[in-house]
């Protein structure tokens, strides 16, 4: 806080110190005249130049100290002045001669010693020296008591007295230059320790020596001082005139910028001459808000020219602060004036409207607006009844009440809904199909279903709502297809994600009893779209949260039920809302985490992913043009060769979707953009189109990520079978390895052994000698299964072992390898969790291959669940598995007979070059997967249904499905009308390949397609 600095004749009233006291300026003037009279009668005495320091004991009282400092008879530096002075330390700022200063002292002992000296007529003049270091705090937060011993807790400002003066531990803490202070007024606070001292600084003094240090009994030190003579006038030279002109200009600007300084200046000119440079400098420093050290430097400066320069610098800083303060004040005043003007004009307008009889009440205006919002809407009877009741309630409430705002918000939501408003949708099949094909490549299932929806709406001549769930791996376009569907139907689109959602209120809304309550997402959707038939995409429905905080899936049961959502009740609105015209599209990666009752309400459409040909077409038609445009390089600066694109898809982007493919293309485009920018800065480099080839592809995106899923590129050894698996990212091939060891050390399965002395390796005794070393000998028909398999897959391995033991005995009664050997069955990539029953036939085939020590035919993969009786049951994910087999170049597939329809429904370019055998029993799996000339023949006909073989010629294998369609029309020799297979249910027509007739009667009787 700043010191209270006033001119001698200040007209501003100071706060009274005690009840009944007069204003401070009048007291100061009266007291000053009183002390002046005393000083004139006290005689004369010269100030000594130097004096010996007076030694006194620590217990000396204030009277002894006063005797050591000779009694003053006038201000220091006059003909009569004190030889030594008591020192009052100034904690916040120095005092400048000629201007009253009010000091607050929080130390009670300092006030008491000053009062004691004044009563004895010895304390009229004291020395004021500023401390070298500022106080730790501007306030004294210690709890004190007043003069009467009363606790200061109840006093105003108790415990927070501003400290302008006080005591120090040593005189060395004070500055050398100070001021003689004439005590004008001294007052003790009534209810708090300390008091107020009003002083008039007289002239500058310098401390010459220490008379006495502060002590516990006498808190003030005594020092010998000498007067500092003040320079009278400036020298009459150009520099002096320039300095004085700068000072006057800065002072004038400061007065015009700060009203407070201007008021003090008006008081100053009444008592001092403006041409008195010394007084003007002291006045400018006294009213300044500069740093304490800068002010002390002005006080101590004896050279008048340098003092002018320092004061001028201080005034310029004060001027900048005053301008900023004035600017802020002007902005605030302008804002307040504008608000007051608006308020006044509004009040005048209300008065004019009242006089003319056209005054409108705020509640009436709001009610009119709400009723206008309902015009043209078909509001149901129940909702209309609630709206009327709320409007009546609104009219009875005061606008200032909190209930008024709650009622108003509720009515705004009710009136903002599109009651009965349905946007007309597109009925043009061709237009919708063109929009879907424009936005997405492939996805025939989704497009076909949307076209069916349009056809039904056309025939029924109304708008319908449906609930569909798009299921597929990431990056296949599930979310983006929602926007395309909305555009194809000419409907509004709204999307919200429920991934990780735990709060039921997000779906059904909050109840109005809560502060900040609001409706759920579906009501917000209707208000946002402004129609009753938008396309709503509920994203990530398989990742919705379910725990103790809530189960939003239960709230979705009503939303996604066509029989219930026509009367959906939001907790906030609490009136029925019709959602039956809304087309709901949900997206999910898997269906396992979706509750059964919720899944039952949705029509599931699977998106398996994209094969190589589809990715090629998508990259050429969509991804490459988009990356060229978004990166700013343009088509003329990037030449992506087709062979490089093939390599990119095969070796870098094998996932089911195209998201990673898009990221890789973006990476290539960014590097090309960087090359272009560098070429522009270097004029010597010519800019040309960047050609991406298979050779330099790794320069842009690094080394290939995928080489092959096959563990054995040169053919499968005995005990190893390739299976097909489904994952959330699409299909994949999965090898199953089996190895076994008899108690005598005989080992079967695995890679061929190293050549140890040529043909001797095949001898049993040599095998025994090679593998009998070390621990881990034979067991009693035990099988160990590894590969991080789930419980279902582990059970499948047990079933496969049990059936394989029986099947091996059927082939050869003397073959007891599976009964006696210690077997280890492993599914590679042990860090990846695996589960499911579809690897049953694969595990059984691996065990039979191990038992017979014969590998399977080349290019064979299989999938199917196996039972203890050898039946092959239906499995899922056929499309994904076929895509994975095609990616690895598999030519022969063994699939369950029950999955025949799933395979036939696939597009022909997906099945091109693949021969699929649909088997019902493991007998047919054995016959089709092994070379019959190297393994024992089945002792009986197959126990399953006849095998159905679907052979799609290689002619269908084209670079893109468009080329595929063209080749099918041109090449009439290879694609004749397919034959009818008697083994297919319903007489489904499929291309058949007639294999060579089996040489054995057993195989011939098995019903193999011929």
């Amino acid at each position: 806080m700043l010191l209270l600095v006033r001119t001698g004749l200040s007209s501003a009233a100071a706060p009274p110190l005690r009840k009944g006291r007069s204003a401070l300026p009048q007291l100061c003037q009266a007291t000053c005249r009183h002390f002046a009279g005393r000083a004139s009668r006290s005689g004369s005495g010269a100030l000594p130049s130097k004096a010996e320091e007076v030694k006194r004991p620590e217990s000396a009282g204030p009277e002894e100290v006063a005797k050591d400092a000779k009694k003053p008879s006038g201000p220091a530096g006059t003909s009569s002045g004190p030889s030594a002075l008591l020192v009052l330390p100034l904690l916040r700022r120095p005092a400048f001669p000629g201007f009253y200063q009010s000091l607050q002292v929080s130390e009670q002992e300092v006030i008491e010693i000053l009062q004691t000296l004044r009563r004895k007529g010895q304390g009229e003049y004291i020395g004021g020296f500023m401390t070298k270091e500022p106080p730790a705090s501007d306030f004294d937060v210690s709890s004190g008591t007043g003069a009467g011993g009363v606790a200061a807790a109840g006093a105003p400002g108790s415990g927070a007295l501003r400290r302008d003066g006080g005591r120090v531990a040593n005189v060395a803490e004070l500055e050398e230059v100070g001021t003689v202070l004439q005590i004008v007024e001294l007052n003790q606070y009534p209810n708090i320790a300390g008091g107020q001292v009003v002083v008039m600084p007289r002239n500058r003094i310098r401390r010459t020596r220490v008379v006495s240090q502060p002590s516990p009994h006498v808190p003030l030190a005594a020092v010998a001082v000498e007067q500092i003579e003040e320079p009278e006038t400036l020298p009459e030279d150009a520099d002096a005139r320039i300095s004085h002109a700068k000072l006057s200009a800065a002072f004038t600007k400061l007065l015009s910028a700060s009203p407070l300084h201007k008021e003090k200046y008006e008081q100053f000119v009444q008592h001092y001459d403006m041409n008195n440079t010394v007084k003007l400098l002291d006045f400018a420093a006294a009213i300044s808000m500069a740093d304490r050290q800068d002010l002390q430097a002005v006080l101590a400066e004896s050279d008048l020219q340098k003092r002018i320069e320092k004061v001028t610098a201080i005034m310029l800083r004060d001027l900048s602060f005053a301008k900023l303060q004035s600017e802020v004040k002007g902005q605030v005043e302008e804002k307040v004036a504008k608000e007051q003007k608006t308020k006044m004009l509004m009040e005048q307008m209300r008065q004019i409207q009242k006089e003319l009889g056209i005054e409108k009440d705020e509640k009436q205006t709001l009610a009119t607006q709400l009723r206008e919002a309902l015009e043209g809407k078909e509001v149901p009877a129940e909702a209309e009844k609630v709206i009327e009741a709320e409007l009546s309630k609104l009219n009875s409430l005061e606008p200032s009440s909190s209930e008024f705002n709650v009622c108003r918000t509720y009515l705004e939501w009710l009136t903002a809904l599109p009651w009965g408003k349905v946007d007309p949708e597109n009925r043009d099949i061709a237009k919708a199909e063109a929009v879907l094909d424009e936005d997405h490549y492939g996805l025939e299932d989704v497009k076909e279903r949307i076209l069916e929806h349009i056809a039904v709406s056309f025939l029924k001549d109304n708008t319908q709502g449906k609930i569909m769930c798009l299921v597929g791996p990431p990056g296949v376009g599930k979310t983006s297809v929602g926007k395309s569907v909305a555009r194809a139907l000419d409907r509004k689109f709204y999307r919200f994600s429920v991934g990780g959602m735990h709060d039921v209120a997000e779906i059904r809304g909050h109840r109005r009893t809560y502060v900040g309550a609001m409706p759920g997402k579906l009501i917000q959707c209707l208000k946002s779209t402004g129609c009753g038939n938008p396309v709503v995409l509920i994203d990530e429905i398989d990742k919705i949260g379910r725990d103790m905080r809530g189960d939003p899936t239960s709230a979705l049961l009503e939303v996604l039920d066509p029989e219930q959502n026509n009367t959906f009740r939001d907790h906030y609105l609490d009136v029925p809302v019709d959602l039956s015209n809304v087309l709901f599209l949900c997206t999910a990666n898997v269906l396992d985490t979706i509750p059964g009752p919720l899944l039952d309400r949705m029509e599931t459409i699977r998106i398996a992913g994209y094969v190589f040909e589809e990715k090629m077409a998508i990259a050429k038609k969509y991804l490459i043009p988009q990356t060229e445009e978004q990166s700013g390089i343009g088509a003329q600066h990037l030449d992506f060769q087709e062979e490089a694109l093939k390599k990119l898809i095969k070796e870098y982007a094998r996932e089911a979707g195209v998201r990673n493919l898009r990221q890789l293309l973006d990476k290539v485009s960014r590097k090309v953009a960087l090359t272009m920018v560098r070429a522009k800065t270097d004029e010597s480099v010519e800019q040309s189109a960047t050609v991406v080839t298979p050779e330099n592809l790794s320069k842009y995106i690094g080394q290939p990520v995928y080489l092959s899923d096959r563990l054995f590129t040169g053919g499968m050894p005995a005990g190893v079978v390739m299976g097909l698996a489904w994952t959330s990212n699409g299909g994949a091939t999965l090898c199953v390895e089996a190895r076994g060891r008899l108690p005598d050390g005989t080992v079967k399965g695995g890679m061929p052994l190293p050549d140890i002395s040529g043909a001797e390796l095949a001898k049993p005794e040599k095998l025994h000698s090679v593998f009998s070393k070390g621990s881990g000998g034979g067991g009693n028909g035990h099988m160990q299964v590894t590969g991080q398999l789930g419980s279902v897959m582990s059970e499948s391995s047990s079933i496969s072992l049990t059936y394989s033991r029986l099947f091996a005995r059927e082939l050869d009664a003397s073959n007891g390898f599976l009964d006696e050997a210690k077997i280890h069955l492993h599914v590679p990539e042990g860090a990846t969790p695996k589960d499911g029953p579809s690897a049953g036939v694969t595990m059984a085939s691996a065990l039979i291959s191990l038992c017979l020590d014969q590998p399977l035919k080349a290019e064979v993969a299989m999938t199917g669940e196996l039972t203890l009786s050898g039946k092959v049951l239906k499995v899922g994910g056929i499309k994904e598995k076929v895509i994975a087999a095609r990616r690895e170049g598999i030519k022969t597939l063994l699939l369950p007979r029950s999955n025949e329809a799933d395979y036939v429904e696939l597009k022909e370019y997906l099945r091109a070059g693949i021969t699929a055998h649909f088997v019902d029993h493991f007998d047919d799996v054995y016959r089709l997967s092994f070379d019959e000339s190297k393994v024992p023949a089945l002792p009986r006909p197959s126990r399953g249904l006849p095998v159905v073989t679907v052979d799609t010629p290689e002619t269908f294998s084209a670079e893109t499905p468009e080329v595929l369609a063209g080749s099918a029309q041109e090449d009439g020799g290879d694609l004749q009308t397919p034959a009818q297979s008697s083994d297919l249910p319903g007489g489904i027509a499929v291309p058949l390949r007639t294999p060579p007739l089996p040489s054995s009667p057993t195989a011939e009787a098995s019903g193999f397609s011929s």
Side-chain angles (χ1 to χ4, degrees):
M1 297 181 63
L2 299 177
L3 289 177
L4 178 62
V5 180
R6 296 185 179 90
T7 58
L9 298 176
S10 173
S11 60
L17 297 178
R18 285 192 179 92
K19 186 175 181 180
R21 288 275 182 167
S22 60
L24 182 60
Q26 289 78 6
L27 279 176
C28 294
Q29 296 170 22
T31 310
C32 184
R33 289 194 297 269
H34 171 70
F35 278 109
R38 289 180 54 195
S40 64
R41 298 190 301 269
S42 60
S44 62
L47 180 67
S49 59
K50 292 286 183 180
E52 296 293 333
E53 182 177 357
V54 180
K55 303 294 183 180
R56 61 182 175 85
E58 291 291 334
S59 60
E63 291 80 1
E64 287 80 357
V65 176
K67 291 177 181 179
D68 292 340
K70 296 179 179 180
K71 294 183 180 180
S73 57
T78 62
S79 60
S80 62
S83 60
L85 294 173
L86 291 177
V87 177
L88 177 63
L90 304 179
L91 304 179
R92 301 179 67 245
R93 59 184 294 150
F96 288 90
F99 306 99
Y100 283 110
Q101 194 162 335
S102 175
L103 306 177
Q104 292 190 12
V105 181
S106 60
E107 285 84 352
Q108 181 64 31
E109 57 271 21
V110 174
I111 297 297
E112 290 176 353
I113 190 175
L114 293 178
Q115 288 177 336
T116 301
L117 293 175
R118 287 196 67 190
R119 285 195 298 269
K120 295 180 178 296
Q122 299 175 348
E124 180 179 354
Y125 294 96
I126 58 176
F129 294 87
M130 191 183 74
T131 58
K132 296 179 179 179
E133 298 295 331
S137 174
D138 287 341
F139 297 91
D140 183 13
V141 296
S142 61
S143 59
T145 57
V150 182
S158 172
L161 181 65
R162 192 187 73 208
R163 301 179 64 226
D164 298 327
R167 61 180 299 175
V168 293
N170 195 290
V171 177
E173 300 179 19
L174 304 177
E175 298 284 353
E176 293 290 332
V177 176
T179 314
V180 174
L181 304 179
Q182 180 182 1
I183 299 178
V184 178
E185 180 74 14
L186 177 63
N187 293 287
Q188 167 72 46
Y189 290 126
N191 296 321
I192 190 172
Q196 184 182 47
V197 183
V198 179
V199 298
M200 167 60 80
R202 289 298 182 182
N203 52 351
R204 289 173 171 81
I205 56 176
R206 179 178 285 106
R207 173 165 51 88
T208 58
R209 63 186 178 87
V210 179
V211 177
S212 63
Q213 293 283 0
S215 67
H217 301 284
V218 182
L220 300 181
V223 296
V225 298
E226 63 178 2
Q227 179 182 350
I228 299 176
E229 297 295 336
E230 295 286 358
E232 296 183 358
T233 58
L234 283 170
E236 296 295 333
D237 56 5
D239 294 338
R241 289 195 296 271
I242 293 174
S243 300
H244 192 274
K246 289 182 179 180
L247 176 65
S248 301
F251 201 82
T252 304
K253 292 180 180 179
L254 181 62
L255 294 178
S256 62
S258 175
L260 179 62
H261 290 92
K262 186 176 182 180
E263 179 183 353
K264 294 178 180 179
Y265 174 74
E266 292 174 353
Q267 299 176 7
F268 170 78
V269 297
Q270 294 177 6
H271 303 88
Y272 295 100
D273 184 8
M274 276 295 297
N275 294 323
N276 189 339
T277 307
V278 175
K279 285 299 180 183
L280 182 62
L281 293 175
D282 288 345
F283 171 71
I287 66 174
S288 174
M289 301 175 65
D291 184 72
R292 62 197 303 271
Q293 295 298 333
D294 295 338
L295 297 178
Q296 178 65 30
V298 172
L299 181 68
E301 185 59 57
S302 58
D303 185 87
L304 186 58
Q305 179 67 28
K306 293 182 180 179
R307 189 184 299 179
I308 291 176
E309 294 175 357
K310 292 181 180 180
V311 173
T312 303
I314 290 175
M315 292 178 64
L316 291 176
R317 288 198 294 268
D318 288 347
L319 177 61
S320 62
F321 178 76
K323 288 182 178 179
L324 177 61
Q325 194 175 31
S326 177
E327 181 180 354
V328 174
K329 179 182 177 182
Q331 293 176 354
V332 173
E333 290 178 350
E334 181 181 358
K335 182 178 179 181
V336 172
K338 184 177 180 180
E339 292 177 354
Q340 291 179 346
K341 179 181 179 181
T342 303
K343 185 176 180 180
M344 181 183 66
L345 292 176
M346 291 295 295
E347 186 64 28
Q348 290 178 354
M349 185 176 66
R350 281 194 291 268
Q351 292 296 330
I352 293 172
Q353 290 177 347
K354 184 176 181 180
E355 292 294 333
L356 297 176
I358 58 174
E359 180 182 9
K360 290 185 178 179
D361 185 70
E362 180 181 358
K363 294 186 290 185
Q364 294 178 355
T365 304
L366 179 60
T368 302
Q369 294 175 353
L370 294 174
R371 293 186 185 278
E372 290 176 354
L374 293 175
E375 292 180 358
K377 298 180 180 179
E378 300 177 2
V379 184
E382 183 175 350
E384 186 175 5
K385 181 179 179 181
V386 171
I387 292 175
E388 292 297 334
E390 290 295 324
L391 286 173
S392 301
K393 179 181 177 182
L394 186 71
N395 291 327
S396 63
L397 296 174
E398 289 296 328
S400 59
S401 66
S402 59
E403 184 67 20
F404 181 86
N405 292 326
V406 173
C407 184
R408 174 179 179 172
T409 305
Y410 179 53
L411 281 171
E412 287 175 348
W413 275 103
L414 283 174
T415 56
L417 293 183
W419 300 104
K421 182 181 179 182
V422 177
D423 289 347
E425 67 177 19
N426 176 37
R427 304 288 178 84
D428 190 348
I429 296 289
K431 178 183 176 182
E433 191 170 6
V435 170
L436 294 174
D437 290 337
E438 179 184 348
D439 292 345
H440 290 83
Y441 183 86
L443 304 181
E444 284 79 9
D445 296 341
V446 181
K447 296 177 181 178
E448 190 73 17
R449 183 63 187 87
I450 298 303
L451 297 178
E452 293 171 0
H453 174 80
I454 296 176
V456 173
S457 300
F458 178 78
L459 294 177
K460 295 189 66 176
D461 196 22
N462 63 0
T463 302
Q464 297 181 354
K466 286 292 180 182
I467 299 98
M468 304 178 191
C469 183
L470 307 178
V471 184
V476 296
K478 300 184 299 297
T479 302
S480 61
V481 79
K483 296 180 181 179
S484 298
V485 170
R487 198 161 71 91
L489 295 175
D490 285 342
R491 290 194 184 189
K492 303 289 182 60
F493 179 74
Y494 186 86
R495 172 193 171 272
F496 70 96
S497 177
V498 295
M501 181 186 294
H502 294 273
D503 192 0
V504 178
E506 292 286 340
I507 304 296
R508 302 189 66 95
H510 304 86
R511 300 191 183 277
R512 295 198 306 277
T513 54
Y514 298 111
V515 177
M518 61 186 305
K521 289 290 185 182
L522 296 169
I523 302 300
Q524 296 178 34
C525 161
L526 296 180
K527 179 183 177 182
S528 176
T529 58
C531 65
N533 61 333
V535 175
V536 178
L537 181 68
I538 305 177
D539 215 354
E540 308 292 353
I541 197 172
D542 59 325
K543 301 174 182 62
I544 195 168
R546 297 177 64 191
D547 55 16
M548 60 181 180
R549 290 175 287 181
D551 184 9
T553 57
S554 301
L556 287 175
L557 291 177
E558 180 184 0
V559 175
L560 301 180
D561 191 344
E563 302 297 329
Q564 301 182 40
N565 60 10
N566 58 342
T567 57
F568 171 73
R569 282 185 178 269
D570 186 89
H571 285 164
Y572 182 83
L573 297 183
D574 200 23
V575 293
V577 179
D578 187 8
L579 300 178
S580 60
N581 292 324
V582 178
L583 175 58
F584 289 99
L585 291 178
C586 307
T587 66
N589 295 127
V590 294
L591 299 177
D592 302 340
T593 56
I594 302 177
L598 181 60
L599 184 61
D600 182 61
R601 286 163 165 78
M602 299 184 293
E603 179 183 351
T604 303
I605 301 176
R606 288 190 174 273
I607 304 177
Y610 302 104
V611 293
F612 171 78
E613 292 82 3
E614 291 175 327
K615 288 185 178 180
M616 285 287 294
I618 293 172
K620 292 179 181 179
K621 188 176 180 180
Y622 300 98
L623 300 184
I624 293 179
Q626 289 176 4
T627 55
E628 290 174 346
E629 179 183 356
Q630 293 179 3
S631 61
I633 60 177
Q636 66 276 13
H637 292 96
L638 176 62
D639 183 8
F640 213 113
Q641 293 187 355
E642 186 171 350
E643 293 300 323
L645 184 59
K646 290 180 180 179
K647 182 178 180 181
L648 175 66
I649 296 174
K650 290 181 178 179
E651 299 183 6
Y652 294 87
R654 283 191 180 182
E655 75 285 350
V658 293
R659 183 173 295 150
N660 189 36
L661 177 60
R662 170 64 182 272
Q663 293 173 357
L664 293 172
L665 292 174
D666 287 341
K667 189 174 183 180
V668 174
S669 300
R670 291 195 301 268
K671 290 188 178 295
V672 173
L674 178 61
T675 304
M676 291 174 56
V677 174
R678 285 176 175 171
K680 287 183 178 180
T681 57
D682 189 358
E683 298 180 355
S684 61
V685 179
E686 294 184 3
Q687 296 188 18
S688 59
T690 303
V691 181
V692 181
T693 63
E695 290 74 21
N696 65 3
L697 183 61
S698 59
K699 173 185 174 182
Y700 295 96
I701 57 178
Q703 297 301 318
V705 180
Y706 305 100
L707 295 177
S708 177
D709 282 350
R710 298 192 182 189
L711 294 177
F712 307 96
T713 57
M716 296 290 185
V720 180
V721 180
M722 180 179 290
L724 300 174
W726 178 91
T727 67
S728 60
N729 293 325
T733 56
L734 195 67
C735 287
V736 176
E737 297 179 304
R739 300 196 69 181
R741 179 178 181 180
L742 291 172
D744 62 357
T746 303
V747 176
K748 292 184 179 181
M751 296 291 289
L753 298 175
D755 189 7
I756 303 177
S757 67
E760 295 183 0
L761 182 63
K763 297 180 180 180
E765 58 270 23
K766 192 64 179 179
L767 287 169
H768 178 78
S769 64
V770 173
F771 292 100
S772 61
K773 298 178 181 180
S775 60
N780 297 322
H782 172 71
M783 184 175 74
Q784 180 184 1
V785 181
T786 57
Q788 200 173 350
L789 308 184
S791 58
V792 177
M793 201 167 182
S794 299
E795 292 174 358
S796 296
S797 65
S798 300
I799 295 172
S800 301
L801 177 62
T802 301
Y803 181 78
S804 298
R805 287 172 174 171
L806 298 175
F807 189 79
R809 291 291 189 180
E810 291 178 0
L811 296 176
D812 185 1
S814 62
N815 191 342
F817 180 83
L818 297 178
D819 296 317
E820 301 174 3
K822 179 180 179 181
I823 303 170
H824 189 159
L825 189 143
H826 176 66
V827 183
E829 297 186 18
T832 305
K834 312 169 190 69
D835 203 0
S838 63
V841 295
T842 309
M843 293 180 177
S845 300
L847 293 174
I848 295 299
S849 174
L850 175 67
C851 175
L852 302 178
D853 202 16
Q854 288 293 332
L856 274 68
K857 294 179 182 178
E859 311 297 344
V860 174
M862 61 186 68
T863 182
E865 180 180 356
L866 183 66
T867 67
L868 285 175
S869 59
K871 296 287 287 184
V872 181
L873 303 183
K874 183 178 181 179
V875 295
I878 292 298
K879 183 176 181 180
E880 291 86 347
K881 294 176 180 178
V882 171
I883 292 174
R886 179 175 174 80
R887 184 173 61 236
E888 292 302 318
I890 302 299
K891 302 299 182 183
T892 305
L893 297 181
L894 301 181
L895 305 175
R897 177 69 181 268
S898 304
N899 289 111
E900 179 186 347
D902 299 331
Y903 181 82
V904 173
E905 288 178 354
L906 299 179
K907 300 298 179 181
E908 291 180 337
Y909 67 86
L910 296 178
R911 300 185 275 116
I914 297 178
T915 300
H917 302 286
F918 297 93
V919 298
D920 182 62
H921 198 274
F922 188 78
D923 292 346
D924 300 313
V925 175
Y926 171 76
R927 184 172 59 82
L928 294 170
S929 57
F930 287 94
D931 188 351
E932 297 183 46
S933 62
K934 297 180 180 180
V935 296
L938 285 172
R940 48 175 165 61
S942 174
R943 288 166 285 190
L945 297 175
V947 177
V948 176
T949 299
V950 179
D951 185 7
T952 306
E954 190 70 28
T955 311
F956 284 111
S957 180
E959 294 301 332
T960 61
E962 290 91 342
V963 178
L964 172 66
S967 63
Q969 295 174 0
E970 296 171 4
D971 191 356
D974 292 336
L975 291 179
Q976 302 295 333
T977 304
Q980 192 78 10
S981 173
S982 59
D983 296 326
L984 294 178
I988 300 177
V990 295
L992 295 180
R993 182 183 68 177
T994 304
L997 293 176
S999 57
S1000 64
T1002 304
E1004 186 177 5
S1006 65
F1008 184 63
S1009 300
S1010 57

